[in-house]
Each structure stands twice: as C-alpha cells, then as structure tokens.
Amino acid sequence: NSAVSKVVIHNRVDCCSERIDGAKVYVGDVFCGQVVYEAGKVIYEVECGDAVGESVKVVQNDQYLTLCEVQVIGVPSDDTPLVNIAPGYPTWQSSEGWP
C-alpha cells in the first residue's frame, strides 16, 4: 500500500481530447476526484490527499477513455514499504472497450 498525494494525467492532444471529461480517479476504493475537460489543456492533476491503497484507477463511465500517461505521486505507507517487484521487466495496462 502507498499513500497517494496526487495523480497526474496526460491527455491525448491529436484528437478526441474531450473524452477525458468526467473521468474519475480512485486510490483503492477512495474517490479522489473527477477531471473537468478544458480545451487546450494537456495535463490534469487530481489531488488524493494521501489516500492509502494498493491500486489506482482512472475510469470513464459509458464512454471511451484515452490516456497518454498517468503518473502516481506518493510515498510508501508505514504498513508496507514500496518495492519495485519488476525492475527491468515489461509492464502493461489493462483496458476494456472497443466492441
């Protein structure tokens, strides 16, 4: 588990940038906030107030969501130190959509 202070989202700029409007950010089950689309804006920061969890989710209900980069800013919680369990190995994302 980590204490997450904020989540930084880099939005798509070549097209479809409005898809990010209304995207919700969670740390575990804790709701951090919602993105409000602004034309021309590329980077959105959602404050999480040091919410503690083992996962971060960015979700968009009933609409496609395209993210170029997501940064999670925080520190390990006192309960569990932060350990990189896959140094030098590939990482991935999971997604649903494109019927």
Side-chain angles (χ1 to χ4, degrees):
N1 291 340
S2 295
V4 177
S5 58
K6 67 180 172 182
V7 175
V8 180
I9 301 170
H10 295 249
N11 194 22
R12 184 175 180 165
V13 295
D14 60 339
C15 83
C16 317
S17 57
E18 70 282 352
R19 290 178 179 174
I20 199 165
D21 190 48
K24 296 176 180 73
V25 177
Y26 295 87
V27 174
D29 292 330
V30 177
F31 175 69
C32 294
Q34 182 170 318
V35 174
V36 177
Y37 171 72
E38 296 177 35
K41 188 171 183 176
V42 178
I43 299 173
Y44 295 85
E45 293 187 7
V46 178
E47 297 295 327
C48 291
D50 294 328
V52 176
E54 61 182 36
S55 65
V56 172
K57 296 184 290 187
V58 181
V59 297
Q60 181 65 291
N61 296 333
D62 302 323
Q63 184 172 305
Y64 292 118
L65 177 62
T66 305
L67 306 174
C68 291
E69 181 177 344
V70 176
Q71 298 170 295
V72 179
I73 311 299
V75 296
S77 70
D78 293 334
D79 298 333
T80 309
L82 186 61
V83 177
N84 184 351
I85 61 171
Y89 293 96
T91 59
W92 63 90
Q93 68 183 29
S94 64
S95 61
E96 296 179 15
W98 306 107

